[in-house]
Amino acid sequence: MPDARIIDGRRIAAEIREEVRAEASRFFDTEGIRPRVVFVLVGKNPASEVYVRNKGIAAEEAGFSHETHTLPEQVEEDELLDLIRAINADPATHGLLVQFPLPKQVREERVIELLAPEKDVDGFHPLNAGRLSIGQGDYFAPCTPLGVMELLSREGVETSGRHAVVVGRSNLVGKPVALLLAQKKRGANAVVTLAHSGAGARLGEITREADILIAAMGVPKAITAGMVKEGAVVIDVGINRIEDSSRASGSRLVGDVEFETVKHKASAITPVPGGVGPMTIAMLLRNTLLAAKRQRAGAIPSTR
Ligand code: GUN
């Protein structure tokens, strides 16, 4: 069997970003509204600083209005909550993203529950998570899981009736991607297994059943060739920084999949970096445009 096709997340993300830019420009021409997204960054986490900077660049390139609030590491929880209240109340802002992780004195669930659901372009608020689970009403799904679905769709990977095994049960990726894959609609309708560390030594037995394998457990190179069925489509959501003395930086990024061995077994595979990663920002832009359109249409869910 030939080596796997490498799924080019950078190319697909660039296509989507261009589509969003064009659609946002049409929206501005017809409605006079420029989508606006506000980012909140707390502290000095280097990875978060890079992510938020890249999100700002992407918003700029899409023609959105955007702003980043940077708060000190020692910020009081109440100060952050007050900032969120102010952004929630600003009718000119359509999307709000608080970058995680947050410092320990701030309770993440307080932040998530305070977000106005109609501006929660991360899809973290319980109303959005609940509606995704129920499959009804307007909601935002989280960006990385949406990016996985979009990669599968644009690569022409059939999901209907196929067995998708998701490894990892986080609220950020594992749970929502399992729900999206199982939805009864085009581009989904998969038979889904949600596997996780609780599988212990049986994990390989379960992953070998997968036609589509989604690795999202956050363990570097945990999925090895022996755990993958011949011809499977492998989507690697992991972003792990490991030591590498051969690099000037002393480290490099690897996924949750052992790419070098699994590529001989899979029919298609996403690399790290350059696979799922770039899709997250593309889907954030799409969610923000959707938020602006929904708010224009007055479709605000009443929760409070
Ligand atoms: N931290 C890591 N991934 C994400 C994400 O998708 N959104 C936010 N807000 N924080 C993150």
Side-chain angles (χ1 to χ4, degrees), residues 39-40 47-48 51-52 55 96-101 108 115 120-124 142-145 172-173 239 280-281 284:
F39 306 108
V40 178
S48 292
Y51 289 140
V52 171
K55 287 170 186 177
L96 163 58
L97 182 150
V98 180
Q99 185 68 27
F100 289 145
E108 290 189 347
L115 299 169
D120 168 33
V121 286
D122 259 327
F124 291 169
C143 303
T144 303
L172 201 65
V173 182
I239 301 181
T280 299
I281 290 186
L284 171 69

Side-chain angles (χ1 to χ4, degrees), residues 47-181:
S48 292
E49 286 178 335
V50 173
Y51 289 140
V52 171
R53 190 177 335 120
N54 288 341
K55 287 170 186 177
I57 291 168
E60 182 75 29
E61 286 178 6
F64 293 4
S65 159
H66 64 97
E67 182 178 357
T68 299
H69 292 269
T70 305
L71 299 178
E73 182 80 32
Q74 298 77 16
V75 71
E76 302 257 351
E77 184 181 83
D78 276 342
E79 191 182 337
L80 174 59
L81 297 180
D82 281 343
L83 175 62
I84 294 169
R85 286 187 190 97
I87 299 167
N88 280 347
D90 171 18
T93 298
H94 310 103
L96 163 58
L97 182 150
V98 180
Q99 185 68 27
F100 289 145
L102 293 170
K104 56 185 180 322
Q105 76 278 14
V106 179
R107 288 164 289 180
E108 290 189 347
E109 72 272 24
R110 291 282 319 269
V111 169
I112 289 173
E113 297 203 4
L114 186 63
L115 299 169
E118 70 276 12
K119 299 189 183 187
D120 168 33
V121 286
D122 259 327
F124 291 169
H125 188 280
L127 186 82
N128 285 315
R131 285 188 175 167
L132 166 61
S133 169
I134 296 166
Q136 270 173 7
D138 283 340
Y139 61 88
F140 294 104
C143 303
T144 303
L146 278 180
V148 170
M149 299 305 291
E150 198 67 29
L151 279 181
L152 293 172
S153 150
R154 292 191 185 226
E155 284 289 301
V157 176
E158 179 61 79
T159 49
S160 184
R162 299 186 77 200
H163 188 186
V165 176
V166 178
V167 189
R169 54 183 151 184
S170 70
N171 291 328
L172 201 65
V173 182
K175 277 191 253 177
V177 83
L179 288 167
L180 287 168
L181 282 160

